[in-house]
Amino acid sequence: MTSQTRIPTLDIARFTHPKSPEDRDAFVAELGNAYREWGFAGIRNHGIPQDQIDRAYDVFQRYFALPDATKRQYHVAGGGGARGYTPFGVETAKGAQYHDLKEFWHIGREIPRDHHCADVMQANLWPAEIPEFRDVGYGLYQALDALGAQVLAALALHIGLPEDYFVDKTDYGNSILRPIHYPPITTPDIPNVRAGAHEDINLITLLVGASAAGLEVKSRTGEWVPFTSDADTIVVNIGDMLQRLTNHVYPSTTHRVVNPPGELARQPRYSTPFFLHPNPDFLIDVLDSCVTPDNPSRYPEAITAQGYLEERLREIKLK
């Protein structure tokens, strides 16, 4: 096996439409073991049509192609990048010297404005210049939210929790769909990687369309392993909130997006991660089933998801 195939890709239809209870159980075991080892896995047969993904990428690319002044109309000053547009040179990986080479947009969950979490979950912005952005963008948000719920159900079973454990912990989760544009790199001396080495904040991240080279995952031995998925595969990785909840049974793995060599750097790269978050008032408290004599609790104090998010956003200069 080459290093590029060491991170497994699994068929989630074995969980959602199993041929037998035994095969479903085997899928849960394989998925759980993949995440224990890597914190990353590829998911195929996920049920999201390729034309839906392609439509979304087309809409997002058209937005990023708009004039800079037009895009900046949707930048919320002081909003921490929670909704709308974030221009180049703002986000910085924790502890990094240089900012990342990217611009992005955030789509959040649509909730009633009288919802008890409305103060921390702002209303979405939608670019008037691209009328279909809302339906296409939020359609992809909902599809990835549903797929993420299936992955979480399997992960719950693997650590001895009920299959529906996460349902009422994420039903108004502060999840984010983030279309990203990494522009062509035109000078050889830019020190920045496209996205610096980092871990994700949330429960799990689903990355759709990670087909361009550049994503690298740090193995347990400290080796950077390239992970370029097939077009029909969604990459799903563990975030810090799930690592904390499971007392590091599921590790949140360091990853980065590196600049490709030579002419490849002169091509733009687009990427759309979905950051699946719990409800803002969910208390992240280490699960009893993940505490053993060999793995004593690393987090004696619980913290709300919102409190943890705010702490981390300050570290990456978005708050």
Side-chain angles (χ1 to χ4, degrees), residues 86-282:
T86 295
F88 294 114
V90 174
E91 187 171 70
T92 307
K94 181 180 171 183
Q97 183 179 357
Y98 300 102
H99 55 69
D100 291 344
L101 297 174
K102 65 187 180 196
E103 59 179 340
F104 56 88
W105 182 280
H106 273 181
I107 299 171
R109 188 178 302 280
E110 297 272 78
I111 59 171
R113 296 326 299 161
D114 58 357
H115 191 281
H116 71 277
C117 287
D119 59 329
V120 295
M121 292 171 64
Q122 297 95 323
N124 278 308
L125 298 177
W126 304 108
E129 293 77 9
I130 303 170
E132 63 271 41
F133 191 106
R134 178 176 188 155
D135 285 350
V136 172
Y138 202 66
L140 186 60
Y141 181 109
Q142 291 174 307
L144 290 167
D145 198 28
L147 176 60
Q150 295 290 349
V151 175
L152 285 175
L155 290 174
L157 287 171
H158 183 68
I159 53 172
L161 296 172
E163 185 173 331
D164 64 355
Y165 173 81
F166 286 102
V167 172
D168 65 353
K169 322 278 191 299
T170 55
D171 54 347
Y172 52 93
N174 193 9
S175 302
I176 294 288
L177 184 69
R178 172 190 276 195
I180 307 172
H181 171 221
Y182 302 94
I185 293 159
T186 53
T187 59
D189 56 348
I190 294 177
N192 316 46
V193 290
R194 277 180 162 170
H198 67 284
E199 302 80 41
D200 293 344
I201 299 171
N202 39 292
L203 287 173
I204 58 173
T205 301
L206 296 87
L207 181 62
V208 59
S211 52
L215 178 64
E216 294 187 345
V217 177
K218 199 172 191 178
S219 73
R220 286 180 182 269
T221 59
E223 174 192 6
W224 285 106
V225 178
F227 190 18
T228 302
S229 64
D230 294 332
D232 64 347
T233 298
I234 289 177
V235 179
V236 184
N237 66 278
I238 305 294
D240 287 351
M241 289 184 183
L242 190 57
Q243 172 177 265
R244 182 170 176 143
L245 183 67
T246 63
N247 203 29
H248 292 230
V249 169
Y250 292 135
S252 176
T253 307
T254 305
H255 52 287
R256 65 186 183 185
V257 179
V258 298
N259 292 323
E263 284 305 305
L264 286 175
R266 300 183 188 280
Q267 299 172 9
R269 182 177 187 272
Y270 296 91
S271 174
T272 304
F274 178 76
F275 301 111
L276 196 153
H277 282 258
N279 303 342
D281 50 5
F282 172 62

Side-chain angles (χ1 to χ4, degrees), residues 36-119:
R36 284 173 184 259
E37 176 63 29
W38 286 102
F40 267 78
I43 299 293
R44 59 187 178 83
N45 279 339
H46 44 72
I48 302 176
Q50 188 60 44
D51 66 333
Q52 181 178 4
I53 295 167
D54 293 344
R55 249 193 343 270
Y57 268 88
D58 174 64
V59 163
F60 301 151
Q61 288 178 29
R62 281 160 47 208
Y63 171 77
F64 290 124
L66 291 171
D68 193 53
T70 304
K71 290 186 288 192
R72 284 179 178 271
Q73 293 173 16
Y74 300 99
H75 176 55
V76 182
R83 300 290 184 270
Y85 175 67
T86 295
F88 294 114
V90 174
E91 187 171 70
T92 307
K94 181 180 171 183
Q97 183 179 357
Y98 300 102
H99 55 69
D100 291 344
L101 297 174
K102 65 187 180 196
E103 59 179 340
F104 56 88
W105 182 280
H106 273 181
I107 299 171
R109 188 178 302 280
E110 297 272 78
I111 59 171
R113 296 326 299 161
D114 58 357
H115 191 281
H116 71 277
C117 287
D119 59 329

